Amino acid sequence: MFEQNRSESFRSKIIPIFLPHQGCPHHCIFCNQKEVTGTSLVHEPADIYPLIEHYLKTIKHTRKKKSSGFPKSIEVAFYGGNFTGMPQAVQELYLLPAYQAIKERKIDGIRVSTRPDYISEKGLNFLAQYGVRTIEIGVQSLDQKILQKAGRTYSEKQVIEAMHLLHHHQFCIGLHLMVGLPEESDEALCRTVEKVIELAPHFVRIHPTLVIKNTELEKMYRLGNYTPLTLEKTIELCKGLFLQFTKAGITVARIGLQSIPEMEKEGSVIAGPFHPALGELVVSSLAYDRMVNLMAKDGGHGKRVTILVPERELSIFIGQHRQNLHRLQQKYRDTQISIAPDKSLERGKLKCIMIPGTCMERI
Ligand code: SF4
């Protein structure tokens, strides 16, 4: 019933239901689900169906305001814990109301987040029978030393086996990675990315390592045993990851943690590259690089230049607070530069118009 839609399901509209730390006996050094999910409250199974109905009203409302039509696909997502680490009877209690909503055609599927060492043939058969079609697994790194240091107790072999099982059962697979874990070098991150590409998830989420209040990492940080990445370095690393994954045909579904008010509260994030729109900064910085390449190709100095970009991507090219435009103007001081939308341009295309002159280039 769900197979045909699984590979597309990473594009779904999500109804998030947080079950902080449920099914998890572990203590990863960076984890404090209460701060990250903004709640210590664990929803009861009886809450699930009313929650779905509540979210559906919001989705309908926002979709009506933005455009006509209903999102193509809607999934209920159980996040914040280790779903398959809960006893199967408890998993069933949570899945049943969501499955009911699938049968009533109110939603299209269910997704759960879990760890690679909690994936089994039997467990996957059980999930599939209740309409789970997307599984997000927190891998974080594929370097054994880094995993151990982070308090993650599985091996690379377990990750590979879990991925094989997930592919075999045709789930849509999301893999989570972290940048900036203790002892992670650029080379180690690069090796992890290469291995992840071989494992071929349908999408990845890339999270920066943040020092969250009341975690082991906070203690390490306060003792001077951990130095978080700067925001600039994180953006550079994420740009590289974005390009590698995209080139390999793997969707980057998110860069950065989902921004919730609790994380922006004073004292919640102790240190690290927190930014509520990290993904936007990364994509915008990549857009800047592309404009610089285009200008370099055309020898843009001493001219008036208009860079035409796809209409829908205008804000990305201009950057937050017009940052990209300011940077371009600093770099090419003797060139008058503007960035303008062009309806005829497809996504990902750029065009440069020099005035005077007719030099035009598309990249
Ligand atoms: S496995 Fe997940 S929920 Fe459990 S401690 Fe680690 S990050 Fe937190």
Side-chain angles (χ1 to χ4, degrees), residues 20-33 80-82 114-115 140 150-152 154:
H21 263 306
Q22 294 309 290
C24 180
H26 304 281
H27 299 283
C28 302
I29 58 167
F30 50 80
C31 178
N32 177 345
Q33 285 294 340
N82 184 20
T114 185
R115 291 171 39 122
Q140 321 309 3
R152 312 276 294 183
Y154 47 82

Side-chain angles (χ1 to χ4, degrees), residues 134-155:
T134 305
I135 298 196
E136 301 200 23
I137 53 170
V139 168
Q140 321 309 3
S141 172
L142 280 167
D143 183 299
Q144 208 59 58
K145 199 173 76 185
I146 295 168
L147 285 173
Q148 260 165 21
K149 189 91 191 168
R152 312 276 294 183
T153 46
Y154 47 82
S155 65

Side-chain angles (χ1 to χ4, degrees), residues 66-342:
K66 277 188 186 165
S67 62
S68 59
F70 206 61
K72 273 191 189 134
S73 175
I74 303 175
E75 283 188 357
V76 163
F78 292 104
Y79 285 150
N82 184 20
F83 194 85
T84 52
M86 296 191 295
Q88 221 165 60
V90 179
Q91 292 180 48
E92 191 174 34
L93 288 175
Y94 281 105
L95 291 171
L96 274 170
Y99 187 52
Q100 179 66 28
I102 294 176
K103 287 194 288 189
E104 290 166 0
R105 298 187 174 271
K106 290 182 172 168
I107 62 167
D108 303 284
I110 301 171
R111 70 174 61 193
V112 302
S113 64
T114 185
R115 291 171 39 122
D117 45 349
Y118 286 76
I119 300 285
S120 68
E121 181 92 43
K122 190 169 155 250
L124 293 184
N125 283 328
F126 168 77
L127 293 177
Q129 135 199 355
Y130 285 99
V132 174
R133 59 181 194 175
T134 305
I135 298 196
E136 301 200 23
I137 53 170
V139 168
Q140 321 309 3
S141 172
L142 280 167
D143 183 299
Q144 208 59 58
K145 199 173 76 185
I146 295 168
L147 285 173
Q148 260 165 21
K149 189 91 191 168
R152 312 276 294 183
T153 46
Y154 47 82
S155 65
E156 183 185 342
K157 189 166 167 273
Q158 280 173 294
V159 177
I160 294 170
E161 283 169 4
M163 289 296 288
H164 281 163
L165 273 178
L166 289 166
H167 278 302
H168 179 70
H169 285 263
Q170 298 183 333
F171 282 96
C172 176
I173 311 165
L175 190 150
H176 295 199
L177 279 184
M178 288 179 78
V179 294
L181 285 169
E183 301 202 13
E184 183 177 72
S185 62
D186 290 1
E187 293 71 31
L189 179 61
C190 197
R191 282 195 297 275
T192 285
V193 171
E194 283 166 9
K195 289 176 187 174
V196 168
I197 288 172
E198 279 176 31
L199 295 172
H202 295 92
F203 66 96
V204 291
R205 295 188 194 274
I206 303 167
H207 298 147
T209 304
L210 302 176
V211 181
I212 308 278
K213 190 168 79 179
N214 297 334
T215 59
E216 192 57 37
L217 198 60
E218 182 190 356
K219 287 185 204 153
M220 286 170 66
Y221 170 73
R222 295 206 186 275
L223 289 169
N225 294 333
Y226 173 68
T227 309
L229 295 178
T230 61
L231 182 61
E232 291 68 32
K233 175 74 179 171
T234 307
I235 292 171
E236 278 314 302
L237 289 173
C238 290
K239 279 167 69 178
L241 266 59
F242 182 92
L243 289 174
Q244 278 177 277
F245 285 128
T246 315
K247 195 169 162 214
I250 297 169
T251 299
V252 178
R254 171 175 283 278
I255 298 176
L257 289 167
Q258 187 135 19
S259 182
I260 52 162
E262 279 73 7
M263 287 192 72
E264 290 177 44
K265 261 194 328 208
E266 185 82 21
S268 180
V269 178
I270 307 290
F274 177 66
H275 191 287
L278 179 64
E280 213 177 288
L281 293 184
V282 171
V283 176
S284 197
S285 182
L286 285 164
Y288 171 79
D289 294 349
R290 293 187 56 212
M291 291 189 287
V292 168
N293 287 342
L294 187 61
M295 295 280 288
K297 251 181 160 182
D298 283 340
H301 288 266
K303 297 167 189 162
R304 272 173 63 202
V305 171
T306 301
I307 300 175
L308 296 176
V309 303
E311 195 175 28
R312 289 174 65 184
E313 296 177 18
L314 181 65
S315 61
I316 288 168
F317 278 90
I318 291 177
Q320 278 192 356
H321 310 297
R322 305 179 72 76
Q323 198 189 18
N324 283 352
L325 193 56
H326 296 319
R327 282 176 75 193
L328 282 174
Q329 274 158 352
Q330 294 247 315
K331 190 172 172 70
Y332 300 100
R333 285 178 187 278
D334 52 357
T335 305
Q336 199 186 321
I337 301 171
S338 56
I339 302 173
D342 182 336

